[in-house]
Amino acid sequence: MNKIDHTSWSRDAIAADLERAIHEHRLPPGTKLGEDDLAEAYGISRTIVRAALLALSHRHLVQLRRNRGAFVAQPTPREAREVFEARSLLEPRTAHSAALRMTEADLALLNENIRDEHAALDAGENGRALLLSGQFHLEVARIADQTTIEAVISELISRSSLIIALYWRRRAALCETQAHHALLDAFARKDGAAAEELMKNHLLDLVASLDLRNVAPPPASLREALQR
């Protein structure tokens, strides 16, 4: 196996790289994250790998199983429902606040995000499109300027990525870009009530795109997933 091109990998850098691979579905739920394989891939010690995996477990992205090792988390149907219920409670009000605080620079950033998401979908890069979709929601939370809620939403969106990887049944689970365009229009008008309602409906559509009876696909090879 060829090592990943790198100069220096810290615990945080490893955790961030693995998190991105999870969000992009290069590491599907259930993938075993062997310490030896990761240490070889990144050219680092198992101690650093172990610390990175522990950090990801705190974000519910990795499960640490006694005597078995680390695995990309596999949310249950109940956890999936709870995550989206929590998002539906928080994000509509956050969208309302964001609309009232929206600046031209914020609108430009969100517009660029939507363009990149379109490009990823057109290129068939569904994992990257999902990552960008999550970033759109994170930017809305940032613009709302509610730091504590933003941190909670960040974790919920990370867990949503795993849920979509396990249970999606149609392309809409990637976040229909029309929904983001409609939100952008409400933001441009600084229409908080419309933004709140649009976000609420958008999240309901996302849940409807999931099949919570679905069985997880077999995980991909860890070694292949980490190659660029």
Side-chain angles (χ1 to χ4, degrees), residues 105-127:
D106 292 329
L107 285 171
L109 183 63
L110 292 175
N111 232 326
E112 181 180 2
N113 177 280
I114 291 175
R115 286 197 302 271
D116 290 344
E117 187 181 353
H118 270 298
L121 285 170
D122 291 343
E125 298 175 353
N126 289 344

Side-chain angles (χ1 to χ4, degrees), residues 45-66:
S45 71
R46 289 178 58 189
T47 300
I48 298 176
V49 168
R50 197 172 298 121
L53 293 174
L54 181 61
L56 290 174
S57 74
H58 291 158
R59 289 179 56 80
H60 304 283
L61 294 177
V62 166
Q63 294 172 340
L64 303 178
R65 302 176 187 171
R66 185 181 296 275

Side-chain angles (χ1 to χ4, degrees), residues 19 21-25 27-31 56 59-63 71-75 80 84 130 155-168 210 216-217:
E19 181 169 353
I22 290 169
H23 289 325
E24 293 183 349
H25 292 176
L27 292 175
T31 302
L56 290 174
R59 289 179 56 80
H60 304 283
L61 294 177
V62 166
Q63 294 172 340
F71 296 80
V72 178
Q74 291 182 288
F84 276 97
L130 177 65
E155 180 177 319
L156 291 172
I157 288 173
S158 291
R159 297 176 71 178
S160 296
S161 177
L162 293 170
I163 291 164
I164 291 170
L166 274 171
Y167 299 115
W168 72 340
L210 303 175

Side-chain angles (χ1 to χ4, degrees), residues 195-217:
E196 182 172 351
E197 187 66 19
L198 285 165
M199 183 64 83
K200 178 182 177 181
N201 291 335
H202 176 36
L203 291 171
L204 288 173
D205 287 343
L206 274 178
V207 173
S209 74
L210 303 175
D211 182 356
L212 297 181
R213 302 163 301 170
N214 198 17
V215 177

